């Protein structure tokens, strides 16, 4: 069986205590001056400031060392005819996004491994690879960088295991369960050596 090569960024699935993800999110603003492209699953970090209503701003995570605030799980439409798709690089207004920012959330993410994912990398830490969103897909093109697995405490993700589904194996493009290791609301930790 081959895994589908279909990255969708960070998708919340459950909490560390085993409970199904409860859907709780917080509202953030992406300011009109921001030049990033955003989709569902985009990793975001805090940005200085906010809007006139006191809603704090976020911006896209762009570097491997960036601490994460969370993952975009929805965009709040301002009207019934608001377009569906990614938030564009050129913005004529602020956009309001729903962000899963709970540091106990477990996410599903696709790894960029071209060969079998080594089981020795389970329980390691890893960085994100931020891919450009293309076309009209509403999903982020972000993956776990399988080449960065290490014990380093500042890496963004902690690998908890393989997604246990019939359509997922450890071959190329495997789907992994991760938590944010370098989270703005709690510090990163060393991985198991």
């Amino acid at each position: 069986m081959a895994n589908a090569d279909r990255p969708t960024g960070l998708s919340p699935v459950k909490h560390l205590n085993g409970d199904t993800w409860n859907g709780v999110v917080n509202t953030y603003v992406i300011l009109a001056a921001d030049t990033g492209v955003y989709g569902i699953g985009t990793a975001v970090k805090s940005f200085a400031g906010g809007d006139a209503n006191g809603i704090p701003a976020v911006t896209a995570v762009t570097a491997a060392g960036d601490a994460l605030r969370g993952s975009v799980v929805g965009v709040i439409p301002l009207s019934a005819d608001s377009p569906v798709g990614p938030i564009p690089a050129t913005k004529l207004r602020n956009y309001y996004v729903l962000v899963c920012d709970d540091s106990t959330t477990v996410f599903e993410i696709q790894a960029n491994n071209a060969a079998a994912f080594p089981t020795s990398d389970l329980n390691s830490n890893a960085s994100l690879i931020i891919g450009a969103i293309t076309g009209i897909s509403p999903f982020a093109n972000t993956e776990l960088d399988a080449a960065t697995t290490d014990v380093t405490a500042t890496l963004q993700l902690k690998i908890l295991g393989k997604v246990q589904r019939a359509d997922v194996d450890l071959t190329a493009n495997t789907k992994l369960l991760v938590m944010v290791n370098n989270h703005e609301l709690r510090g990163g930790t060393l991985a198991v050596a």
Side-chain angles (χ1 to χ4, degrees), residues 28-32 34 38 58 87 91 93-97:
Y28 292 90
V29 63
I30 297 171
L31 299 172
D34 187 300
Y38 296 80
V58 290
I87 296 172
K91 299 167 188 60
R93 61 175 174 83
N94 292 343
Y95 283 81
Y96 296 90
V97 291

Side-chain angles (χ1 to χ4, degrees), residues 38-175:
Y38 296 80
I40 305 302
T42 297
V44 293
K45 61 183 178 179
S46 295
F47 184 77
D51 73 354
N53 297 313
I55 296 176
V58 290
T59 190
V61 168
T62 57
D66 287 346
L68 279 67
R69 185 57 173 244
S71 173
V72 173
V73 297
V75 178
I76 300 173
L78 295 182
S79 65
D81 61 348
S82 291
V84 176
I87 296 172
T90 302
K91 299 167 188 60
L92 302 177
R93 61 175 174 83
N94 292 343
Y95 283 81
Y96 296 90
V97 291
L98 302 173
V99 175
C100 176
D101 59 2
D102 181 352
S103 66
T104 69
T105 302
V106 175
F107 296 90
E108 179 178 325
I109 190 169
Q110 178 175 301
N112 73 335
N113 57 310
F117 189 86
T119 56
S120 59
D121 284 348
L122 299 174
N123 295 318
S124 294
N125 294 339
S127 294
L128 291 167
I129 292 180
I130 311 298
I133 297 174
T134 57
I136 61 169
S137 171
F139 296 104
N141 194 17
T142 299
E143 297 178 284
L144 178 139
D145 186 355
T148 65
T149 57
D150 196 345
V151 299
T152 307
T154 57
L155 293 178
Q156 293 161 316
L157 304 174
K158 184 173 293 294
I159 302 168
L160 303 176
K162 180 186 81 66
V163 170
Q164 298 298 311
R165 253 190 348 249
D167 65 334
V168 177
D169 60 26
L170 288 171
T171 62
N173 307 308
T174 194
K175 310 306 187 259

